[in-house]
Amino acid sequence: GESVGLHLPTLSVQEGDNSIINCAYSNSASDYFIWYKQESGKGPQFIIDIRSNMDKRQGQRVTVLLNKTVKHLSLQIAATQPGDSAVYFCAEIGSGGGADGLTFGKGTHLIIQP
Amino acid sequence: DAGVTQSPTHLIKTRGQQVTLRCSPKSGHDTVSWYQQALGQGPQFIFQYYEEEERQRGNFPDRFSGHQFPNYSSELNVNALLLGDSALYLCASSLWTVQETQYFGPGTRLLVL
């Protein structure tokens, strides 16, 4: 879900379980979506991307699903590991390419319980 | 192959002062974008530089300015600092022709007192 102010949504999962992180976007003209992982004290790190002409894309242990009808994006992480603990952001780019910069969502803090 | 580097890592300033942050892009990249990330928020686009010119700008006041050098490195300048300018400032580099793929540096943490 979305957060207000300084409070990030938090998702707590058991190590080895699957995680699903959700993101809603507002710009129906967005053409390209990216999931970033940001660990404490570091910059965002690219995880996986998807274009608007696709509804699913798989990477290594990660899957991104795109539902353009409801403007919803999700990131699924299989068999979560302690190293997956981080804040996850979805970002979008409009049909003009990256020239207008990435527009980031507010982020979800993923906590892995041992 | 060096990634994106930023300096300094941390900085403390007082209200009204001016600050300059620096960024070296990933090897081979020609475009630099700057983002501001307030605590608990996602990064917000400030502006983008290519061929030593500002190409696009987000919703930030003129107190925020920048520069790109012939070697593609970039500076972000903020004048008349406000308490609300306290944030993590991120630099991202890309190719002008493939701007969707942006690589981020570790950021500079600015605290304004």
Side-chain angles (χ1 to χ4, degrees):
Chain A
E2 295 294 331
S3 66
V4 176
L6 299 178
H7 301 288
L8 285 172
T10 298
L11 176 64
S12 183
V13 300
Q14 291 292 124
E15 183 179 348
D17 286 352
N18 298 335
S19 303
I20 299 176
I21 301 171
N22 297 303
C23 176
Y25 66 93
S26 56
N27 184 0
S28 57
S30 291
D31 183 52
Y32 180 70
F33 303 88
I34 311 150
W35 279 100
Y36 283 94
K37 171 186 180 183
Q38 187 172 25
E39 296 173 281
S40 181
K42 296 183 179 180
Q45 177 188 1
F46 173 92
I47 302 174
I48 191 168
D49 58 0
I50 188 168
R51 293 209 173 269
S52 59
N53 61 353
M54 303 171 68
D55 53 20
K56 180 179 180 179
R57 190 158 189 230
Q58 287 185 293
Q60 188 174 19
R61 279 202 310 119
V62 294
T63 301
V64 56
L65 300 177
L66 175 63
N67 185 331
K68 294 181 288 294
T69 302
V70 295
K71 296 184 205 168
H72 183 268
L73 198 65
S74 69
L75 175 70
Q76 301 177 4
I77 304 174
T80 47
Q81 303 167 358
D84 294 329
S85 290
V87 177
Y88 289 80
F89 292 98
C90 64
E92 58 186 289
I93 291 181
S95 55
D100 296 328
L102 297 165
T103 300
F104 283 81
K106 291 185 173 66
T108 296
H109 189 188
L110 178 63
I111 297 172
I112 309 302
Q113 303 281 4
Chain B
D1 180 21
V4 180
T5 59
Q6 292 186 244
S7 63
T9 55
H10 296 82
L11 205 51
I12 300 175
K13 292 284 187 179
T14 56
R15 279 179 298 174
Q17 285 190 310
Q18 179 264 344
V19 68
T20 297
L21 310 181
R22 295 175 177 83
C23 171
S24 290
K26 181 178 169 62
S27 178
H29 284 181
D30 55 12
T31 303
V32 172
S33 301
W34 286 92
Y35 293 81
Q36 181 194 65
Q37 186 176 22
L39 194 62
Q41 302 288 318
Q44 284 196 294
F45 175 68
I46 303 175
F47 44 52
Q48 179 191 66
Y49 276 83
Y50 170 66
E51 290 188 332
E52 303 177 48
E53 290 186 10
E54 183 182 297
R55 298 292 175 158
Q56 293 290 337
R57 189 179 185 93
N59 189 24
F60 279 80
D62 291 345
R63 299 187 297 109
F64 289 77
S65 64
H67 190 78
Q68 186 180 34
F69 299 93
N71 67 353
Y72 308 119
S73 68
S74 177
E75 288 182 349
L76 164 65
N77 301 293
V78 187
N79 294 323
L81 283 167
L82 304 174
L83 296 180
D85 295 331
S86 295
L88 180 69
Y89 288 86
L90 294 161
C91 169
S93 75
S94 62
L95 287 170
W96 177 251
T97 53
V98 191
Q99 292 177 42
E100 298 95 338
T101 307
Q102 299 191 15
Y103 292 81
F104 284 84
T108 293
R109 175 73 63 186
L110 173 65
L111 178 61
V112 182
L113 301 176

